[in-house]
Amino acid sequence: MKKWGQAALAILGMVILLGGLLLYGLGIHELAPVPRPDLIVVGTSLIGMFFVVCGACDLLVKKTKDMEIEENDERNIALSNAAMASGFKVMNATIAISIFGLIFTGYMTVVPCFTIIGAYAIGQAVFIARLWYLNKTR
């Protein structure tokens, strides 16, 4: 990702983090029509910190010319893609098992269930579409 993208990610994270803390400081989070308003602060804080850390890591690291050449090396790109493919397979299995476990133990309600299943289905559809496209073009 380009430097401006990393900076935008860090700024977005700071806005989310500070917005959640501001809601907590003003007591507005108690007025939100959600079952657990205390989780609004926790959720925004965690998401904001995650975005800040992800954005700031690449901004603070100064890459040398050798590091950039190594990063763009075809062998390293192939290794990275193979590692991501393995991670994708493991993630698919663990998400499916987690959804199954949460549904049948009663911890998953309808809305989060369909949201997670929808996100899972979109990921699978993108994988299949991309695989079909790459097989047609290569």
Side-chain angles (χ1 to χ4, degrees):
M1 194 181 281
K2 301 270 188 217
K3 290 285 186 187
W4 61 269
Q6 295 295 335
L9 190 64
I11 291 169
L12 176 67
M14 191 58 71
V15 168
I16 292 172
L17 175 64
L18 293 177
L21 294 176
L22 182 66
L23 288 175
Y24 177 73
L26 297 175
I28 299 173
H29 71 287
E30 294 291 335
L31 303 174
V34 294
R36 297 273 314 267
D38 56 322
L39 293 180
I40 293 173
V41 178
V42 174
T44 55
S45 298
L46 288 175
I47 292 169
M49 285 189 294
F50 178 72
F51 282 173
V52 168
V53 169
C54 287
C57 281
D58 284 339
L59 287 175
L60 298 176
V61 174
K62 181 70 176 160
K63 293 183 181 177
T64 64
K65 191 68 173 172
D66 292 337
M67 290 171 75
E68 289 181 19
I69 291 171
E70 177 120 2
E71 185 178 297
N72 295 327
D73 183 36
E74 288 183 22
R75 181 174 179 275
N76 289 337
I77 293 171
L79 290 173
S80 176
N81 288 340
M84 282 191 283
S86 298
F88 178 75
K89 290 177 186 177
V90 170
M91 182 183 66
N92 280 330
T94 56
I95 287 176
I97 292 168
S98 299
I99 291 171
F100 178 79
L102 290 171
I103 288 171
F104 290 106
T105 56
Y107 288 106
M108 180 77 73
T109 59
V110 175
V111 174
C113 177
F114 284 124
T115 303
I116 294 171
I117 289 173
Y120 185 74
I122 289 170
Q124 294 299 317
V126 168
F127 168 70
I128 291 168
R130 184 72 174 157
L131 183 64
W132 176 80
Y133 173 76
L134 290 174
N135 282 331
K136 288 287 184 183
T137 58
R138 292 182 183 194

